[in-house]
Amino acid sequence: MPTAGDPAPRVSLHLLGGFQLLHDGVPVVVPRGLQRVIALIGLRPGATRSHLAGLLWPETSEERALSSLRTALWRLRQDPCCPLRTDGDTVRLGPTVHLDVDELVVAAARVRDGATPRGAAGAGRHDLLPGWYDDWVLLERERLRQLRLHMLEELAGNHLAAGRHGEALEAALEAMAAEPLRETPHRLVVRIHLAEGNAFEAVHSFYVYRDLLLRELRLEPSPAMTALLDDTLAPIRRASRPEPPQRRADRGRPAGPARPQRAAPPPSIPRGTP
């Protein structure tokens, strides 16, 4: 147990990929019911007790839900390294608690400002609390998933604009792995290959996505994506375009004998000439 003068323990709360609470790097065993309380408080900083109770126990009355929350908070405070702080009617994580979700949020904000922070492509790679199906978990999971997708696409665009094609491709492929049917990362991959002058890679990537979309959703890529390859595919389309029937018939007809030329008429003799 910490004593007066001891440094505060380093507390880390991990919610991406599964719940884990660490004190100075050592995992802490937390009952599932209390995990839900800690996780929600981490995701909804500064929420009122009534709001937290309603999300955690939506099927019960407000009075009973608030009573359950008071009991849970009392149990958590028995731990001298409790990660929570109360301020009047609100509850939040302590100021020194590190939350892994914050890394994704901060990275996304920096990318929106035009920065390309190191390691941003790997931020938030794992889903929020997999296997949890509370309504508030599903909502937060989708919010973070969309946040990461947009961050990766913006990051790829920033790298592409700066001519860093390798980093741009890495971010675009991360977004593609997160949502294979989403068109934007596939479109970015095609643009990156074209910027590098790799026409084959660009065309290949386009048709891989087209086949996937047709197989899974019976849809075609958007006109915006198809237009990316108009200039590249134009010579191929011209070469494979069928000839008009008359031209094809003329080209296959055997040459006949030369047509005889008409003889010139004999010169006329003027009258009265001896």
Side-chain angles (χ1 to χ4, degrees), residues 111-178:
V111 171
R112 279 197 301 270
D113 292 338
T116 53
R118 184 182 299 274
R125 184 173 290 161
H126 302 292
D127 282 341
L128 176 75
L129 298 170
W132 292 30
Y133 299 104
D134 305 74
D135 289 343
W136 56 270
V137 175
L138 298 177
L139 180 63
E140 289 294 321
R141 184 182 298 154
E142 180 61 18
R143 181 182 72 84
L144 293 175
R145 191 181 76 89
Q146 290 293 332
L147 179 68
R148 181 170 186 259
L149 283 171
H150 285 88
M151 177 196 72
L152 290 170
E153 291 165 359
E154 288 184 84
L155 183 63
N158 293 346
H159 281 309
L160 177 59
R164 296 186 291 267
H165 299 136
E167 291 89 341
L169 190 59
E170 178 187 2
L173 291 176
E174 281 279 354
M176 188 187 301

Side-chain angles (χ1 to χ4, degrees), residues 187-269:
R187 197 186 308 165
L188 278 163
V189 169
V190 171
R191 289 177 54 200
I192 294 164
H193 286 315
L194 290 174
E196 291 185 297
N198 295 324
F200 168 77
E201 294 282 2
V203 173
H204 176 72
S205 298
F206 172 83
Y207 280 106
V208 166
Y209 176 62
R210 180 177 179 269
D211 291 344
L212 174 67
L213 206 57
L214 284 171
R215 184 172 64 251
E216 297 295 331
L217 300 177
R218 299 184 181 276
L219 295 174
E220 288 276 357
S222 72
M225 185 168 184
T226 305
L228 292 175
L229 291 172
D230 280 348
D231 292 340
T232 304
L233 295 178
I236 301 173
R237 289 168 179 158
R238 285 196 297 268
S240 60
R241 186 178 301 157
E243 293 182 293
Q246 185 58 46
R247 181 181 299 178
R248 189 165 54 248
D250 292 344
R251 185 162 54 85
R253 181 182 299 151
R259 297 177 62 183
Q261 296 183 350
R262 291 182 60 184
S268 58
I269 300 176

